[in-house]
């Protein structure tokens, strides 16, 4: 048999493609096997593109993709779903949150009735976006689907969605548009675990409406189809924030596949570490085999920062629950929330602060008040948060430290009795002043003990007064 030139070229291309390593996402854009065939001058159409393994991204490419997240530091979490209808009350208890179906073991046939009552006529997406922006938040992560399985958008994959309610509008589209109008990135929280879908493998005994057998090979395509809708109809998105990964049906391998699937839909999207199985409980950071772009400490800020290139975001509630609870009375103070934000930034991390709106579509007044307090602080001090990196020295007793280029920012929570801050640092300070009043100079002196900062007699902000140190040359931590 005589091989024609084109056959030889095709065989050569096939041999090259077979020998090539898996295509990797590279800064110059994905390398596709088809390019190999074209490079060989084959006259036949390019080979189907090899799937890209986005987990093989270089540290430099990842740093570029993470840059906005690493700069912005502060976002709003919104937990909004049918659980806002009972608002924490079921039977003789009133302390439930978004887990009410599970914790109260509500028969799903009963839970479905909440859809008939979910009609957020007071929902105003612009008001929500404006409150986030005015608080100094740079992105919003909205629950598209929590563990209850209810889709907040008009999905075509099931009728367990906003279309089952009297609302008649798409709140996801309205909030996505409002975020863009207000210059906020829009992102989704999406639960892998689904207490409603009949194919989710750990079906609950109180799911009295599910029929047929559980089957993850049916559930995963369903979940991917919904995720495709979310990325294609409401994107570009900042983050796909997965959760609900801890049950046995979910595996590391399925996490890698889902990570690559979502990145294939939007290559520069960020995905948290709950897409895989690496998260170590509430501490939220990966232990062992992990997948995802950033760690997710929950209700806590880690004790210290992490090595360069380790990204993380602490998520917290303002009260006890993520979903709205009408009797919530354990609200964190605005001071505590501002300190959490500063604490996270001082360790090189982000802070994702939650609001649980009511079934009418309103933020609780306690949340509104705290957002306004945080906004007043950020209006004066945001340069000490945005674009900063972790403190060069250990956490001091009096507050926290952030840094940015030739600036150190001293966030004073509690002034020492003698009014002196002694930082174990060697630094050449050009200027030192209060961010709240840049005309008010602050005295510093380099001593053998370190850099001494003399505080003014009264500090302008009882929650956190920030002193800016403009330095020249290296800043060296002293032992
Ligand atoms: C999860 C959700 O269950 C919760 O409703 C909320 O959305 C939060 C942001 O994320 O909460 C969890 C889930 C698992 C663990 C901790 C908190 N865990 O395994 O330690």
């Amino acid at each position: 048999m005589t091989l024609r030139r084109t056959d030889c070229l095709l065989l050569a291309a096939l041999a090259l493609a077979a020998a090539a390593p898996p295509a990797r996402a590279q800064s110059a854009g994905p390398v596709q096997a088809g390019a190999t065939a074209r490079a060989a001058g084959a006259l036949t159409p390019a080979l189907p593109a090899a799937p890209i393994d986005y987990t093989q991204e270089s540290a430099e490419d990842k740093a570029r993709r993470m840059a906005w997240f690493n700069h912005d530091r502060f976002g709003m979490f919104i937990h909004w779903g049918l659980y806002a209808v009972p608002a924490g009350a079921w039977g003789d208890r009133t302390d439930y949150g978004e887990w009410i179906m599970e914790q109260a073991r509500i028969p799903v046939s009963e839970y479905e009735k909440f859809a008939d009552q979910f009609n957020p006529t007071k929902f105003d997406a612009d008001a929500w976006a404006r409150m986030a922006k005015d608080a100094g938040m740079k992105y919003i992560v909205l629950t598209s689907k929590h563990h209850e399985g209810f889709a907040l958008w008009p999905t075509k994959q099931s009728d367990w969605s906003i279309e089952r309610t009297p609302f008649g509008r798409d709140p996801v589209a309205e909030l996505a548009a409002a975020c863009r109008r207000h210059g906020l990135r829009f992102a989704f929280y999406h639960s892998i675990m689904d207490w409603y879908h009949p194919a989710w493998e750990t079906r609950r005994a109180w799911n009295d409406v599910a029929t047929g057998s559980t089957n993850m090979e049916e559930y995963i395509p369903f979940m991917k189809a919904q995720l495709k809708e979310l990325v294609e109809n409401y994107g570009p998105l900042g983050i796909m924030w997965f959760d609900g990964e801890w049950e046995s049906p979910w595996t590391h391998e399925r996490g890698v596949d889902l990570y690559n699937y979502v990145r294939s839909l939007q290559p520069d999207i960020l995905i948290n570490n709950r897409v895989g199985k690496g998260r170590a409980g509430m501490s939220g950071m990966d232990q062992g085999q992990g997948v995802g772009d950033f760690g997710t400490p929950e209700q806590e800020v880690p004790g210290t920062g992490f090595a360069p290139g380790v990204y993380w975001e602490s998520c917290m509630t303002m009260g006890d629950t993520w979903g709205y609870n009408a009797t919530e009375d354990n609200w964190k103070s605005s001071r505590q929330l501002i300190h959490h934000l500063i604490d996270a930034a001082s360790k090189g991390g982000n802070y994702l602060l939650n609001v649980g709106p009511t079934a009418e579509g309103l933020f609780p007044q306690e949340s509104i008040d705290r957002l306004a307090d945080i906004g007043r602080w950020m209006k004066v001090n945001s340069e000490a948060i945005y674009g900063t990196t972790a403190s060069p020295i250990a956490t001091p007793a009096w507050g926290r430290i952030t840094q940015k280029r030739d600036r150190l920012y001293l966030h004073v929570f509690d002034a020492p009795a003698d009014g002196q801050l002694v930082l174990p640092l060697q630094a050449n300070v050009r200027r030192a002043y209060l961010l709240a009043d840049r005309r008010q100079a602050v005295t510093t002196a380099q001593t053998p003990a370190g850099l001494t900062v003399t505080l003014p007699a009264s500090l302008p902000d009882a929650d956190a007064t920030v002193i800016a140190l403009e330095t020249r040359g290296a800043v060296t931590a002293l032992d």
Side-chain angles (χ1 to χ4, degrees):
M1 176 183 75
T2 308
L3 284 177
R4 293 169 301 166
R5 169 176 151 71
T6 49
D7 294 335
C8 295
L9 288 172
L10 179 58
L11 284 174
L14 285 170
L16 277 172
R24 297 167 46 130
Q26 297 175 348
S27 54
V31 174
Q32 309 269 2
T36 311
R38 279 192 293 283
L43 302 180
T44 52
L47 295 170
I52 294 175
D53 183 354
Y54 289 95
T55 66
Q56 299 306 304
E57 182 180 43
S58 71
E60 296 73 24
D61 285 343
K62 178 173 181 179
R64 262 193 293 279
R65 188 163 55 89
M66 297 297 297
W68 72 262
F69 179 85
N70 203 37
H71 172 275
D72 289 355
R73 291 277 176 257
F74 190 24
M76 178 182 277
F77 217 165
I78 298 178
H79 276 69
W80 201 33
L82 294 186
Y83 39 79
V85 172
W90 189 264
D92 57 359
R93 284 178 54 178
T94 59
D95 61 344
Y96 297 114
E98 70 291 346
W99 273 64
I100 189 167
M101 182 203 288
E102 176 94 349
Q103 292 171 340
R105 307 168 92 83
I106 301 174
V108 172
S109 57
E110 280 300 302
Y111 197 91
E112 285 183 327
K113 294 173 184 172
F114 293 147
D116 306 329
Q117 303 165 57
F118 189 79
N119 188 16
T121 52
K122 295 178 181 172
F123 171 59
D124 177 347
D126 268 301
W128 287 17
R130 200 176 310 113
M131 283 189 276
K133 184 179 179 70
D134 290 349
M137 294 158 156
K138 292 288 190 179
Y139 57 101
I140 289 182
V141 181
L142 170 72
T143 50
S144 50
K145 183 195 85 166
H146 204 264
H147 311 330
E148 64 180 4
F150 178 79
L152 207 55
W153 78 103
T155 178
K156 296 192 178 340
Q157 310 310 319
S158 99
D159 67 357
W160 185 231
S161 81
I162 194 72
E163 291 196 300
R164 186 121 167 214
T165 73
F167 190 45
R169 287 155 48 188
D170 179 351
V172 171
E174 293 180 22
L175 186 58
C179 283
R180 288 182 175 81
R181 280 195 296 275
H182 291 276
L184 300 171
R185 286 179 194 266
F186 185 59
F188 285 118
Y189 162 112
H190 198 79
S191 178
I192 294 166
M193 174 173 67
D194 189 316
W195 295 331
Y196 185 88
H197 197 285
W200 174 255
E201 201 162 283
T202 46
R203 184 182 299 173
R204 270 56 184 175
W206 46 91
N207 187 342
D208 56 353
V209 299
T211 57
S213 57
T214 62
N215 177 357
M216 288 299 282
E217 301 319 311
E218 176 193 329
Y219 176 74
I220 292 172
F222 160 80
M223 177 169 60
K224 285 183 173 179
Q226 287 201 322
L227 290 167
K228 190 172 194 302
E229 291 177 346
L230 292 173
V231 175
E232 293 183 347
N233 300 340
Y234 304 104
L237 304 176
I239 301 166
M240 190 58 78
W241 209 100
F242 284 106
D243 188 44
E245 83 288 0
W246 55 89
E247 295 199 332
S248 57
W250 201 247
T251 65
H252 170 73
E253 291 70 24
R254 284 173 168 160
V256 172
D257 172 67
L258 190 60
Y259 179 88
N260 277 317
Y261 175 72
V262 173
R263 293 263 331 256
S264 73
L265 297 174
Q266 184 188 318
D268 64 350
I269 196 169
L270 307 188
I271 299 173
N272 69 339
N273 68 344
R274 299 187 188 187
V275 67
K277 299 289 281 193
R279 164 173 67 132
M282 298 293 271
S283 72
M285 301 306 287
D286 278 348
Q287 56 178 9
Q289 202 178 29
V291 58
D293 301 320
F294 60 91
T296 52
E298 184 170 326
Q299 304 289 28
E300 62 183 64
V301 176
T304 63
F306 300 89
V310 175
Y311 304 92
W312 55 276
E313 171 196 71
S314 280
C315 58
M316 288 201 197
T317 53
M318 290 193 189
D320 286 332
T321 61
W322 299 91
Y324 176 62
N325 179 300
T327 62
E328 177 65 73
D329 62 359
N330 186 28
W331 296 95
K332 298 178 181 78
S333 67
S334 298
R335 175 183 170 89
Q336 283 175 297
L337 301 176
I338 291 167
H339 288 183
H340 292 153
L341 169 61
I342 297 167
D343 191 16
S346 76
K347 294 160 181 170
N350 286 28
Y351 186 50
L352 186 65
L353 181 58
N354 184 73
V355 176
T358 69
E360 292 183 302
L362 296 174
F363 284 3
Q365 189 56 48
E366 295 88 348
S367 297
I368 294 172
D369 296 343
R370 284 155 179 77
L371 290 170
D373 289 342
I374 297 168
R376 275 187 287 276
W377 187 85
M378 283 293 275
K379 192 171 179 62
V380 172
N381 302 293
S382 65
E383 76 171 72
I385 299 293
Y386 300 143
T388 61
T389 54
S391 168
I393 56 175
T395 300
W398 45 263
R400 296 294 184 272
I401 299 169
T402 56
Q403 65 177 342
K404 178 163 54 180
R405 293 188 298 277
D406 64 347
R407 297 262 196 309
L408 282 174
Y409 297 101
L410 314 182
H411 302 252
V412 183
F413 297 171
D414 303 297
D418 65 359
Q420 299 287 314
L421 307 182
V422 181
L423 286 70
L425 280 177
Q426 168 80 38
N428 178 354
V429 178
R430 278 188 311 121
R431 262 188 0 123
Y433 49 89
L434 297 176
L435 282 192
D437 178 359
R438 295 165 191 257
R439 294 159 305 172
Q440 184 164 353
V442 171
T443 306
T444 67
Q446 188 68 54
T447 66
L451 182 66
T452 303
V453 178
T454 303
L455 296 175
S458 71
L459 295 179
D461 190 317
D463 292 333
T465 290
V466 181
I467 295 166
L469 305 184
E470 291 184 9
T471 60
R472 181 184 290 114
V475 172
T476 310
L478 301 176
D479 295 336

